[in-house]
Amino acid sequence: MTTMIFEELKRQFTNDLLYIFLQREGFIEADLFPEFINQISMDRVYSTLEVAEMFKISDNNLRYQMKMMRKLGYINSIKAGRNYRFNYLNIYRMYLVTLILNMKGRNTGDIENILNGEDVSSLNKEITPVTDESKKDDSQSIWSFNHLVIQMIEKQIAINELQTCLNESTRKYMQLDQRFNSMLVEIQLMNKLNESIKQPNKKWFYKHNEIDSSATNLDDKQQLTEFKDQLATILFNINDYEKRLTINLYELKQLYEEK
């Protein structure tokens, strides 16, 4: 490295807050004064494109960083017409900026804090210690979550069982209804047959059969009524479980969001 620019930069940046920060972070001279510094002339100015090539970053990225540093008052770039120019001091300032931004977890907000003179140690994020109480809270949360999942599964099983029961009851209901209608047809046919024959013994047979059919008819009606009541009860239970499932789904969603 050219001794003249090396010594000049060290002299100029002895009290520079970013320079001091990087030294405290363990950056050595090889990092702080890379080889491209040799190519910089203290007697000329450079374009953003030329500086970006030195830093091996995009021109747009450099322009954005330069804009932020100008707002913070860290650099005073020279504007030639519509384009900005950098002298050797501003080039080195921007190089220090890129070094910090390339550090893990660092951003322009950190640079602003450094320039405001904040203690370097205050920039490190505080890590909340894991206490027994926090472990207990986490365990309780996990238990509540697992318990809620189990409840959800149990509710779903109950709904499936009720749905199966409902399907079976519906099948029986349809069978009885079909049987009932068949018996009505048979009775109507017997009535027509009895009227056509008009014989006493046939009339007697008809009346006797009508009594039996009426009894069977009433029995089937009663069974149908019972099945209808069962269906209504099952439907009510399913609606009740669906309401509970909705509540549990909401509670599960809340627990997910809290976690």
Side-chain angles (χ1 to χ4, degrees):
M1 178 181 295
T2 305
T3 305
M4 185 176 179
I5 191 171
F6 173 77
E7 295 298 332
E8 180 64 18
L9 289 175
K10 287 186 68 175
R11 185 182 67 81
Q12 291 278 0
F13 287 85
T14 300
N15 297 320
D16 185 276
L17 294 176
L18 300 189
Y19 182 79
I20 295 171
F21 170 77
L22 289 168
Q23 285 182 316
R24 290 178 178 175
E25 288 294 306
F27 283 76
I28 60 178
E29 285 194 354
D31 300 321
L32 295 172
F33 301 99
E35 189 61 29
F36 75 82
I37 297 293
N38 283 325
Q39 309 302 323
I40 298 176
S41 172
M42 294 187 292
D43 300 324
R44 60 162 291 197
V45 292
Y46 296 82
S47 68
T48 55
L49 184 59
E50 289 175 312
V51 177
E53 289 177 353
M54 294 178 190
F55 296 168
K56 296 181 180 180
I57 62 175
S58 68
D59 180 44
N60 290 334
N61 194 6
L62 177 63
R63 289 178 183 274
Y64 172 75
Q65 295 176 8
M66 177 191 67
K67 180 180 177 182
M68 298 302 297
M69 293 307 105
R70 287 177 63 238
K71 287 183 178 180
L72 296 177
Y74 185 59
I75 66 169
N76 295 305
S77 55
I78 303 170
K79 193 170 184 181
R82 299 177 61 182
N83 300 315
Y84 287 97
R85 295 289 185 266
F86 296 82
N87 60 19
Y88 75 100
L89 293 175
N90 280 333
I91 290 176
Y92 192 69
R93 289 190 182 97
M94 287 306 303
Y95 175 67
L96 297 179
V97 169
T98 58
L99 284 179
I100 294 175
L101 293 179
N102 287 333
M103 295 173 64
K104 186 177 180 180
R106 298 298 179 182
N107 52 43
T108 54
D110 296 319
I111 294 176
E112 182 179 6
N113 290 333
I114 296 171
L115 293 176
N116 288 333
E118 293 189 15
D119 187 9
V120 174
S121 60
S122 67
L123 296 177
N124 298 325
K125 294 183 179 179
E126 295 183 1
I127 301 176
T128 304
V130 179
T131 61
D132 292 337
E133 188 65 27
S134 63
K135 289 182 179 179
K136 182 179 179 181
D137 293 339
D138 290 341
S139 299
Q140 181 67 25
S141 178
I142 293 173
W143 181 88
S144 300
F145 176 77
N146 292 336
H147 183 66
L148 190 56
V149 170
I150 293 173
Q151 286 184 330
M152 290 286 296
I153 295 173
E154 290 176 348
K155 298 296 182 184
Q156 187 60 52
I157 292 174
I159 288 175
N160 293 340
E161 290 176 350
L162 282 172
Q163 187 65 48
T164 302
C165 184
L166 176 62
N167 294 336
E168 180 64 20
S169 297
T170 302
R171 185 183 65 80
K172 290 182 180 180
Y173 173 81
M174 295 300 295
Q175 288 178 344
L176 280 175
D177 188 59
Q178 185 177 7
R179 181 185 173 192
F180 179 76
N181 292 331
S182 298
M183 293 188 69
L184 285 179
V185 172
E186 289 178 4
I187 292 172
Q188 290 174 357
L189 290 174
M190 291 179 68
N191 285 338
K192 289 182 180 180
L193 180 63
N194 184 61
E195 289 177 359
S196 63
I197 296 176
K198 293 184 178 180
Q199 294 181 3
N201 59 337
K202 295 292 183 181
K203 290 182 179 180
W204 177 86
F205 170 76
Y206 160 73
K207 290 180 180 179
H208 179 74
N209 188 68
E210 185 179 22
I211 294 172
D212 292 340
S213 298
S214 298
T216 304
N217 191 358
L218 290 174
D219 183 60
D220 286 337
K221 283 184 177 180
Q222 184 176 1
Q223 290 184 38
L224 283 172
T225 302
E226 291 177 356
F227 271 103
K228 287 180 180 179
D229 292 340
Q230 291 179 14
L231 288 174
T233 301
I234 292 172
L235 285 172
F236 174 81
N237 290 336
I238 286 181
N239 290 334
D240 182 59
Y241 273 107
E242 286 179 343
K243 290 178 182 178
R244 295 180 188 178
L245 183 60
T246 301
I247 294 173
N248 280 273
L249 283 171
Y250 174 78
E251 293 175 350
L252 184 60
K253 180 181 177 182
Q254 292 293 109
L255 189 57
Y256 267 119
E257 292 176 353
E258 290 175 1
K259 289 177 70 64

